[in-house]
Each structure stands twice: as structure tokens, then as C-alpha cells.
Amino acid sequence: MDDDLSARLSARSPEQSPEESPERSPEESSAHPSGQPSAQRLVARLREGLPPEALLTDPQVTASYATDMASFCAAGTPAAVVLPRTVEQVRHVMRTATALRVPVVPQGARTGLSGAANASDGCIVLSLVKMDRILEISAVDRIAVVEPGVVNAVLSRAVAEQGLYYPPDPSSWEQCTIGGNIGTASGGLCCVKYGVTAEYVLGLDVVLADGRLLRTGRRTAKGVAGYDLTRLFVGSEGSLGVVVGAVLALRPAPPRQLALAAEFPSVAAACEAVCAVMEAGLAPSLLELMDRTTVRAVNALGRMGLPESTEALLLAAFDTPDAPDGLAAVGRLCTAAGATAVVPAEDEAESELLLQARRMSLTALEALRPATMIDDVCVPRSRLAEMLAGTAAVAREYGLLIGVCAHAGDGNTHPVVCFDPADEDEARRARESFDAIMALGLELGGTITGEHGVGVLKKEWLARELGPVGLEMQRNVKRAFDPLGLLNPGKLF
């Protein structure tokens, strides 16, 4: 690796409630001639159950809540934004929405990348960020009970103080909320060992479209009573109900990670090393890949001292007492696969710098061009090399800069298409290349999204992946929970 990892990274520069649906007067139940009630009528009804500071109606303010971080995703103009602090306030919003037939778009921190939190015309944006309390942390039961607006990193640090660990760690963990993580079934860097958000959601409190409160799941270590409605809500992108509370599973805190960086002369060689690590039965806590474009972007943004001569950089880490042994085994496998340099971090601080470099990848790629489209295609590990080779071919075909960072250990790739939206031809090529990458993923036996969700961006691709029967059954589920189609309309399908 360049100058021994650039002089060691530059010297470390309950069940459903019995309440009935709210009764509605004929006037309330009838739609406005335009299909929507007047904004004044809607706002007046919302004010009846909300404190003044919870309701935003200034168009210049509400417009700032119209989109998440996705490109090429249509968004409408919200009629109002509500920032509730209590479950009862959320229930009031949903009762009002049902009575007046107004769509509701639940939102978290809007760090999503699929348009799942984008507003629709005339909707109520229901932002849950003010419901940000950690209600309980139990070391005995190994659970945390939280509201949806709790930021992932805040929860992670709070449980760490009690010797516990909440594994899901999306790259946006300093901003993203637990409710948003649940809505999109988020993943992160640790998925290769610990899995995604769905593995840690034991139970949920959900406000349904008509305002009733549903409690799913459990707080016990085991439980198989009835259908698993909890898992159904995870990844539903706010289309089935509004999550207002969650019981999350925790683990004992592991030792701090130790990492290594391995430099490869080709992406194919790095992917060969990934397969060798998994086939050997090793259990790294992290196994990440950055291609040459990504490495250079990270260096340009953060001056991280990563080796720019590399075609692919593989980062591996272990969080076990015998971490040095695990890293040594990975190092041998990387060398056998053709690595030109393998540099273990000397200590926890240097390991953390390597992980910071990986977390910086998307931000660094975004700095290369005015806009990006971030793909989220997951393929079987055995097809990872084909996926990355195919992505490189797409970049050449469309004449675009496409960097790839990947959760290589679980086959989840993030090709990032960098482009200028002001250039109509380049923007067209960007969208076409994005679709070509998704098509490639399906051809390789993969899925169109491993952790970012479907939202607006991938609606038509979801239909292709599910097939007609699967799509019909999913729509039936949607109708069962939301018969009026008010929750996050226009998303998923």
C-alpha cells in the first residue's frame, strides 16, 4: 500500500385497541369538488388537536419538507406539515386525514435515497422527528424501547453506555432516525455479521390509517403468536401505518473493531478475496469494497491518505477477542487472491479512520458532479465480480462517471452515477445507466434494493422483480391496512 498506508493515514490526521374508527359527518366524509378539502378546512381541523408549534402552513417552510435525498423523483406540494410529539397527536392527524380523505406522507430525517418520503400534492407531511425519546433500555431483557424520531447514532451511544450494542449502522447514522430505518429496512456496514434492521425490531406501536392504535410483536426473547405483522411493517415505507414506537433487540457490546486494508490490482481480484473469506467460514464484522473512483473521491474530500494507485480497496474488520487472528487469516486470503499490499491497522484509532473513509464514500462521490443517482443492487456474493464488471461496462457505454462502494460481504453494491442535471443529454444517460444497472442485478439473481427501499425511484422495477402474482398479493395487503389509499400514495407500486 502507498507508503505503508500513507504513513499510517497521515499520523491519524400490544394488540389492536378496541376503539372504533371515528365517526364522520356526511359533510366530513364527502370529498371537496376538486377531490381535496380546502386548505383552510384541513388546517382548521388539524388545529383542533395540535399545539400551534406542531403545525406548519407557510408555503416557503412546508416546501422544504417536500423531498428526501433521491434524484429523479417526482414530488408534490404539501398542504401542511405536522411535527407531533405524542401518539395522540399522530392519531388526531390520521383521524382528520381519514375524515377529509387527505393523503399523509410519514417522514423521518429525509436521508432516504429512493423518494419514499417525497410529498404528494395536497398531502399532510407527518414528520416524526420530534418524537425522539428513548423510553427504556433494559440490560436484562436486552431491549430498547424508543420513539421513531430517535437518531440512530444517539441510540447506539446510549446503549453503549450500558454495555450493550445496537448493530444496524447506515452510513447516515448520525442523521437518520430509527423510524426511517424501520420504514426502509435499512442496513449498514455491519450487515455481513449482524444483519439488517429487520433482525432487531421485536415489536411496534403503529397508528393505522383511521387513527386506531395497533401493537405488534413482543418484548420477549421469543414469540410466534399469530402472523408476523411486525416484519410486515418493516420496509413498508409508511404505506401501511405510522410507526410511533418500537421495541428493539440489543446485543452485548463486542470488543472494539480492528481493521485492515488490502489493495488490489483489479476489482475481480478483490471480489475473489471476498468469496474466499466467506467460503473459509470467517465471520468479519465488516467487509467493504471501494473502487478506484471512490478511493480517489474520498481522498479528495477528506485527505484520508488512501492509496490512489489501487483499482480496488477491501476493508475487513473483526470485533472479537481474537481479532488479530481473524485479520491475519483475511490477509493471507487477500494475498492469495492477488492483493498487492495488506496493511492491518495498528490499533483501534487507525481502524476507526479506515471506517470513516468508507462512511465518507457517498458524500465524496456526490462532490464529483452536481448530482448523483445512488443504486442499491444486491446480488449473491458469488456473482459480485460480474456485477461490478457489468457496472463498469455500463459506465463506458453511457460515457459516465460511476463509482462503486459496496457492502461486499453481503453482496450489496452501491453504484453511484455522477452527472450534471443541467445537461439534458447527460441526465438522460444517467437515468438510462441507472436502469441498466438494476436490470443487470436482476439478471444475476439479485434484487433491486438491499437497504434503500423502493419509494418512487424503483416502482416499475419492483413490479418486474415481484411478478404479477406477487404484485397482486402485495396490493391486497396494502388495501387491508389502508383501504382508502391515504398512506404515502404513489410509493412502492
Side-chain angles (χ1 to χ4, degrees):
M1 189 171 287
D2 288 1
D3 298 324
D4 194 29
L5 196 57
S6 288
R8 316 304 301 187
L9 295 177
S10 302
R12 301 182 194 152
S13 100
E15 61 193 16
Q16 183 175 300
S17 70
E19 299 157 313
E20 297 298 324
S21 301
E23 294 183 3
R24 298 181 297 276
S25 68
E27 179 187 10
E28 290 173 333
S29 298
S30 61
H32 187 271
S34 66
Q36 292 282 354
S38 69
Q40 295 89 344
R41 183 178 171 208
L42 171 62
V43 170
R45 285 294 304 273
L46 288 171
R47 281 183 177 146
E48 292 175 5
L50 297 171
E53 67 274 10
L55 180 59
L56 307 179
T57 58
D58 183 333
Q60 291 186 326
V61 176
T62 59
S64 67
Y65 287 82
T67 65
D68 62 16
M69 296 179 67
S71 301
F72 287 111
C73 292
T77 301
V81 174
V82 178
L83 294 97
R85 289 186 180 272
T86 69
V87 172
E88 185 53 41
Q89 289 171 9
V90 175
R91 298 185 68 188
H92 170 69
V93 170
M94 295 313 306
R95 291 189 193 108
T96 300
T98 293
L100 300 182
R101 304 300 195 261
V102 178
V104 176
V105 177
Q107 286 184 351
R110 293 183 293 117
T111 57
L113 296 165
S114 69
N118 283 12
S120 55
D121 282 332
C123 77
I124 301 167
V125 164
L126 186 57
S127 173
L128 286 305
V129 294
K130 299 294 186 183
M131 297 181 67
D132 59 357
R133 294 180 301 163
I134 298 173
L135 302 174
E136 178 186 353
I137 297 173
S138 172
V140 173
D141 293 325
R142 292 184 183 173
I143 61 169
V145 182
V146 304
E147 292 183 329
V150 173
V151 171
N152 185 296
V154 171
L155 174 64
S156 296
R157 293 181 182 122
V159 301
E161 291 176 359
Q162 299 196 29
L164 298 168
Y165 178 43
Y166 180 67
D169 62 342
S171 293
S172 59
W173 78 311
E174 293 281 6
Q175 296 86 35
C176 64
T177 61
I178 295 299
N181 294 168
I182 291 170
T184 58
S186 299
L189 305 188
C190 70
C191 293
V192 62
K193 179 175 181 178
Y194 292 105
V196 297
T197 296
E199 273 69 69
Y200 297 90
V201 182
L202 298 177
L204 293 171
D205 286 350
V206 182
V207 175
L208 299 177
D210 58 12
R212 289 179 295 166
L213 182 63
L214 171 70
R215 178 160 293 166
T216 75
R218 64 193 195 278
R219 46 181 294 146
T220 55
K222 297 189 295 184
V224 293
Y227 295 125
D228 190 350
L229 297 183
T230 302
R231 219 45 187 300
L232 189 61
F233 282 102
V234 179
S236 66
E237 301 182 15
S239 65
L240 302 180
V242 181
V243 172
V244 292
V247 180
L248 305 174
L250 304 176
R251 293 194 174 204
R256 294 290 298 273
Q257 293 187 111
L258 287 179
L260 67 72
E263 181 181 357
F264 289 87
S266 69
V267 170
C271 292
E272 181 182 341
V274 170
C275 292
V277 168
M278 302 311 294
E279 187 175 17
L282 299 173
S285 55
L286 174 146
L287 193 57
E288 298 286 307
L289 184 148
M290 300 159 65
D291 72 355
R292 180 180 184 181
T293 298
T294 304
V295 168
R296 291 188 170 190
V298 167
N299 278 344
L301 182 66
R303 299 183 180 181
M304 299 298 293
L306 299 175
E308 295 200 358
S309 60
T310 184
E311 291 297 320
L313 188 70
L314 192 65
L315 305 178
F318 285 82
D319 61 359
T320 55
D322 60 348
D325 294 337
L327 290 179
V330 169
R332 290 190 292 271
L333 293 171
C334 287
T335 299
T340 53
V342 176
V343 181
E346 291 186 338
D347 54 27
E348 294 173 5
E350 193 170 278
S351 295
E352 183 57 31
L353 278 178
L354 287 173
L355 303 191
Q356 286 179 12
R358 170 59 185 88
R359 289 186 186 278
M360 194 186 297
S361 294
L362 296 182
T363 302
L365 289 166
E366 288 170 352
L368 298 181
R369 299 286 285 160
T372 58
M373 291 189 72
I374 303 172
D375 226 321
D376 173 38
V377 177
C378 191
V379 296
R381 298 184 191 98
S382 58
R383 312 298 296 274
L384 185 61
E386 295 171 79
M387 182 68 206
L388 296 184
T391 298
V394 168
R396 292 191 297 271
E397 178 182 353
Y398 289 91
L400 293 167
L401 180 66
I402 302 178
V404 180
C405 51
H407 308 307
D410 52 30
N412 198 167
T413 68
H414 294 310
V416 181
V417 183
C418 306
F419 68 101
D420 183 355
D423 183 329
E424 291 186 7
D425 180 66
E426 188 168 276
R428 174 191 58 79
R429 286 183 281 122
R431 179 72 219 214
E432 291 177 359
S433 70
F434 184 88
D435 288 343
I437 291 168
M438 283 194 289
L440 172 65
L442 291 181
E443 289 171 9
L444 295 175
T447 176
I448 59 170
T449 175
E451 58 188 7
H452 290 173
V454 175
V456 176
L457 191 60
K458 298 185 176 184
K459 285 173 57 175
E460 63 180 83
W461 285 96
L462 178 65
R464 298 189 199 189
E465 180 171 332
L466 295 178
V469 176
L471 189 61
E472 177 187 355
M473 297 308 296
Q474 298 226 358
R475 285 174 170 162
N476 288 342
V477 171
K478 165 72 170 171
R479 279 191 289 269
F481 282 91
D482 182 21
L484 298 178
L486 299 179
L487 281 165
N488 215 6
K491 313 297 167 51
L492 291 172
F493 35 73

